[in-house]
Amino acid sequence: MTHPSEFDWTTLRATARSAMERAYAPYSKFAVGAAALTDDGRMVSGCNIENASYGVTLCAECSLVTDLIMGGGGLLVAFTCVDGNGDTLMPCGRCRQLLYEHSADGLILDTVSGFKTIDEVLPDAFGPRQLDVYRETRA
């Protein structure tokens, strides 16, 4: 497993703050930015994008994953998320699942209670790795 000290969290948080400054949050006024490193060394980021129909609002993690896919894909290895004050935020449950879908094994998240792996913040998750195991047992 990768250790949190292997990543430049200062730069990662600064990238998340920069993304947060581009958030579209006219309704809640709660801007959010997210940034992550990929397994090939790229940095991806995203911000929340609200909508008058609140249910179609996109969390910052959603636009981060869009940036990941548009940049060629890959897997996330380190992640942080910040609010309008630059304070660390914990992804909601939906976004934890979204991050899990695109995570390298052992993805490290910068959380309000310290560094945690994706498996610690989403225990017993279901995603691509579980489907791979299922397919292997069916072959």
Side-chain angles (χ1 to χ4, degrees):
M1 184 174 97
T2 306
H3 192 271
S5 65
E6 295 182 33
F7 302 110
D8 180 356
W9 293 99
T10 301
T11 300
L12 200 56
R13 290 177 188 123
T15 301
R17 283 191 297 278
S18 179
M20 175 271 302
E21 291 171 1
R22 295 187 298 269
Y24 177 73
Y27 307 106
S28 72
K29 308 290 189 232
F30 191 78
V32 178
L37 293 173
T38 66
D39 57 346
D40 64 1
R42 290 177 297 122
M43 189 168 306
V44 293
S45 63
C47 63
N48 59 321
I49 303 167
E50 293 183 346
N51 190 286
S53 175
Y54 296 131
V56 294
T57 290
L58 300 176
C59 295
E61 296 86 347
C62 294
S63 59
L64 179 142
V65 168
T66 298
D67 189 27
L68 173 71
I69 299 302
M70 293 297 293
L75 298 174
L76 304 173
V77 296
F79 171 87
T80 192
C81 187
V82 300
D83 67 14
N85 297 320
D87 296 328
T88 302
L89 290 174
M90 180 61 126
C92 69
R94 174 181 176 258
C95 288
R96 292 178 202 191
Q97 179 65 37
L98 183 64
L99 292 171
Y100 185 82
E101 178 80 13
H102 299 280
S103 68
D105 199 18
L107 165 66
I108 298 173
L109 290 82
D110 181 17
T111 77
V112 296
S113 56
F115 296 110
K116 297 188 182 282
T117 66
I118 190 67
D119 293 319
E120 290 173 307
V121 301
L122 191 65
D124 301 322
F126 181 81
R129 291 186 285 281
Q130 288 69 34
L131 285 173
D132 289 345
V133 169
Y134 173 77
R135 288 183 192 115
E136 289 171 9
T137 63
R138 307 277 297 170

